[in-house]
């Protein structure tokens, strides 16, 4: 009872007479209400997961213990657990345990996000409010339309892709960037725990885990100097980045060749990363593959957006798998309905009517007779 009372007394003091009280960054992280809000945000879609249920069974005590450890500066993260995801390709995911994720979400929401977001360029499109894949696709469509207005279909595309991006981020370089970004030493020390407790196998001091919210923000910011070099030094107007996918559109082939070497030098020299074999320069008229779609600029200026062959294959394979799983009673109709609704919503953003009609509207389910 004492713990619950102290929580609401703390909240009342902060909101006394509707006045806003200034809190330093570390105080925001320690704050009961901010920790609770981080839990509420994190539990969305996970209410039935054992780790979430366990945390909520004694919610006030768990939050209070976390608060006390933070105040005493004795908080230690528990490490990571490992699993694999297989769509669109097999990836190793390392996720922090639930209490650590609550704290990490609080740090990101209260400190990292407010500081970092204003510093990123507008066309850094991933994992931000009002941004994402659809935002990136709309920006590319806009760039293609602008390019056609002045240059028609002539021109070239430089597409850069980082090899094993998350697994190759250097801890020392990342920490130096965080130090410039976040002035509160106690907040930095917490973030360093999440960085230091993971490394790519065989590469100590290298790699950040895919399963952390902080990793998304770090990955957005790690290439910020590349973004600014392209936008401010090279002054490329039609440039967009979605995490480790970089796309430049320009009329001059030689300009892009020189730009590629400069970008490669910056990425490999300053950031200790490398470009993979997908990095290339090609004519704009060949079409541009980006985020699962192929963008083609027609001679009349129409921008045609079709599914990549690999994306079509994945969709068909998943539909076939769901039919078998439903027939064998492994999934329920509601699970199938949610997946189909997501696919329909995704396909509406491109020219995929024939594919949608053939594969989704004719999709059927049957229970196994055995």
């Amino acid at each position: 009872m004492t713990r619950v009372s102290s929580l609401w007394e703390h909240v009342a003091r902060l909101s006394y007479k509707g006045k806003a009280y200034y809190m330093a960054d570390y105080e925001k992280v320690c704050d009961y209400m901010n920790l609770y809000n981080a839990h509420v945000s994190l539990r969305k879609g996970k209410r039935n997961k054992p780790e979430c249920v366990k945390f909520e069974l004694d919610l006030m005590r768990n939050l209070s213990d976390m608060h006390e450890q933070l105040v005493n500066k004795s908080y230690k993260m528990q490490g990571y657990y490992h699993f694999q995801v297989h769509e669109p390709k097999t990836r190793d995911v390392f996720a922090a345990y639930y209490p650590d994720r609550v704290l990490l979400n609080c740090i990101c929401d209260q400190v990292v996000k407010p500081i970092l977001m204003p510093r990123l360029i507008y066309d850094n499109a991933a994992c931000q409010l009002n941004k994402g894949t659809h935002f990136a696709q709309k920006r590319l469509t806009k760039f293609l339309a602008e390019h056609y207005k002045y240059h028609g279909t002539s021109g070239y595309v430089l597409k850069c892709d980082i090899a094993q991006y998350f697994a190759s981020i250097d801890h020392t370089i990342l920490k130096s960037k965080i130090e410039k970004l976040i002035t509160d030493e106690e907040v930095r020390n917490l973030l360093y725990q999440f960085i230091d407790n993971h490394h790519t196998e065989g590469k100590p001091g290298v790699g950040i885990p895919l399963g952390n919210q902080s990793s998304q923000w770090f990955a957005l910011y790690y290439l910020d100097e590349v973004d600014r070099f392209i936008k401010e030094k090279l002054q490329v107007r039609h440039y967009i980045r979605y995490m480790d996918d970089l796309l430049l559109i320009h009329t001059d082939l030689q300009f892009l060749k020189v730009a590629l070497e400069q970008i490669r030098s910056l990425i490999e020299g300053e950031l200790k990363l490398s470009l993979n074999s997908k990095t290339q320069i090609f004519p704009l008229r060949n079409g541009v593959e980006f985020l699962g779609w192929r963008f083609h600029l027609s001679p009349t200026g129409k921008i045609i957006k079709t599914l990549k062959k690999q994306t079509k294959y994945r969709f068909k394979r998943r539909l076939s798998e769901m039919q078998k799983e439903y027939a064998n009673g492994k999934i329920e109709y509601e699970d199938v309905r949610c997946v189909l609704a997501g696919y329909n919503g995704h396909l509406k953003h491109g020219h995929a009517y024939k594919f949608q009609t053939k594969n989704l509207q004719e999709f059927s389910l049957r229970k196994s007779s055995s």
Side-chain angles (χ1 to χ4, degrees):
M1 190 70 184
T2 304
R3 291 179 184 274
V4 175
S5 300
S6 64
L7 168 61
W8 297 115
E9 288 172 4
H10 179 74
V11 174
R13 284 198 299 273
L14 289 179
S15 58
Y16 177 68
K17 292 183 180 180
K19 295 180 180 178
Y21 287 81
Y22 171 79
M23 286 190 288
D25 287 343
Y26 192 69
E27 290 176 324
K28 294 176 185 176
V29 174
C30 298
D31 182 69
Y32 275 111
M33 205 62 197
N34 289 340
L35 291 170
Y36 173 74
N37 288 336
H39 159 66
V40 171
S41 175
L42 183 61
R43 74 184 181 187
K44 291 177 182 177
K46 304 182 183 71
R47 296 296 294 268
N48 296 325
K49 295 289 181 69
E51 58 180 359
C52 182
V53 172
K54 181 180 178 182
F55 191 83
E56 286 207 312
L57 283 174
D58 200 359
L59 180 60
M60 290 299 105
R61 179 180 295 275
N62 287 329
L63 290 178
S64 181
D65 288 346
M66 189 181 299
H67 167 78
E68 290 176 9
Q69 291 172 26
L70 289 168
V71 170
N72 297 331
K73 300 176 183 177
S74 61
Y75 189 94
K76 301 294 180 184
M77 77 164 294
Q78 301 173 48
Y80 295 95
Y81 62 92
H82 168 251
F83 60 94
Q84 287 186 327
V85 294
H86 302 281
E87 290 290 345
K89 61 183 179 181
T90 300
R91 296 179 186 274
D92 289 306
V93 178
F94 293 85
Y97 291 93
Y98 192 86
D100 291 333
R101 294 210 306 274
V102 170
L103 173 60
L104 194 55
N105 277 25
C106 184
I107 296 172
C108 289
D109 291 345
Q110 298 300 322
V111 181
V112 177
K113 178 181 174 180
I115 293 175
L116 187 55
M117 274 193 67
R119 288 166 169 77
L120 302 175
I121 68 166
Y122 183 71
D123 288 310
N124 183 337
C127 305
Q128 300 170 68
L129 183 65
N130 299 323
K131 292 187 178 181
T133 56
H134 293 153
F135 169 86
Q137 291 160 13
K138 287 179 181 177
R139 288 294 287 174
L140 178 55
T141 301
K142 180 176 183 293
F143 290 164
L144 290 172
E146 287 181 353
H147 183 92
Y148 180 85
K149 182 178 180 180
Y150 297 102
H151 309 289
T153 59
S154 64
Y156 298 88
V157 178
L158 167 57
K159 188 174 183 180
C160 299
D161 196 296
I162 309 295
Q164 299 291 316
Y165 182 41
F166 280 72
S168 302
I169 289 178
D170 183 274
H171 290 184
T172 302
I173 296 173
L174 177 59
K175 287 179 181 179
S176 70
K177 291 179 177 294
I178 293 173
E179 189 173 354
K180 296 174 184 176
L181 188 72
I182 298 173
T183 57
D184 193 312
E185 184 179 1
E186 299 302 333
V187 176
R188 291 203 306 267
N189 289 338
L190 288 175
L191 288 173
Y192 292 167
Q193 285 193 51
F194 288 91
I195 295 171
D196 293 335
N197 270 278
H198 172 81
H199 65 267
T200 301
E201 187 175 357
K203 296 181 179 180
V206 175
I208 57 176
L210 275 174
N212 279 355
Q213 182 184 355
S214 60
S215 296
Q216 296 176 357
W217 287 106
F218 295 158
L220 288 176
Y221 189 57
Y222 197 80
L223 289 173
D224 183 65
E225 61 185 289
V226 177
D227 295 337
R228 297 196 173 277
F229 175 76
I230 293 170
K231 296 292 286 187
E232 296 169 7
K233 299 293 184 182
L234 299 181
Q235 296 187 346
V236 177
R237 174 176 174 79
H238 296 151
Y239 165 71
I240 190 166
R241 173 163 74 92
Y242 192 91
M243 202 56 77
D244 60 333
D245 289 335
L246 292 69
L247 208 63
L248 296 77
I249 302 172
H250 203 274
T251 56
D252 190 338
L253 175 60
Q254 188 58 36
F255 173 88
L256 288 181
K257 287 181 178 179
V258 173
L260 173 56
E261 292 311 308
Q262 292 175 321
I263 292 168
R264 189 190 303 275
S265 176
L266 178 58
I267 287 175
E268 294 180 353
E270 299 294 327
L271 302 178
K272 297 184 179 180
L273 300 171
S274 60
L275 299 174
N276 64 22
S277 58
K278 296 179 183 178
T279 299
Q280 57 183 313
I281 301 173
F282 52 89
L284 179 59
R285 62 174 60 92
N286 289 0
V288 183
E289 290 189 352
F290 189 55
L291 301 177
W293 293 91
R294 185 175 184 82
F295 295 75
H296 180 72
L297 186 57
S298 74
T300 61
K302 183 177 181 180
I303 299 163
I304 302 169
K305 185 179 168 188
T306 58
L307 284 173
K308 288 170 56 178
K309 289 183 179 179
Q310 300 95 313
T311 307
K312 289 181 180 180
Y313 171 75
R314 288 201 306 270
F315 276 15
K316 290 178 180 179
R317 185 183 64 186
R318 181 57 186 142
L319 292 174
S320 177
E321 289 173 351
M322 284 196 302
Q323 286 178 317
K324 294 176 183 177
E325 290 171 356
Y326 180 81
N328 296 327
K330 293 182 179 179
I331 57 174
E332 300 298 326
Y333 173 77
E334 184 62 23
D335 299 321
V336 178
R337 190 192 67 80
C338 290
V339 173
L340 293 179
Y343 282 177
N344 272 308
H346 179 74
L347 295 174
K348 287 178 180 178
H349 289 273
H351 299 88
Y353 177 76
K354 289 183 179 179
F355 179 85
Q356 189 173 6
T357 302
K358 181 178 180 181
N359 293 278
L360 295 185
Q361 294 184 10
E362 298 177 3
F363 180 81
S364 63
L365 295 171
R366 294 183 180 88
K367 286 287 187 181
S368 177
S369 56
S370 59

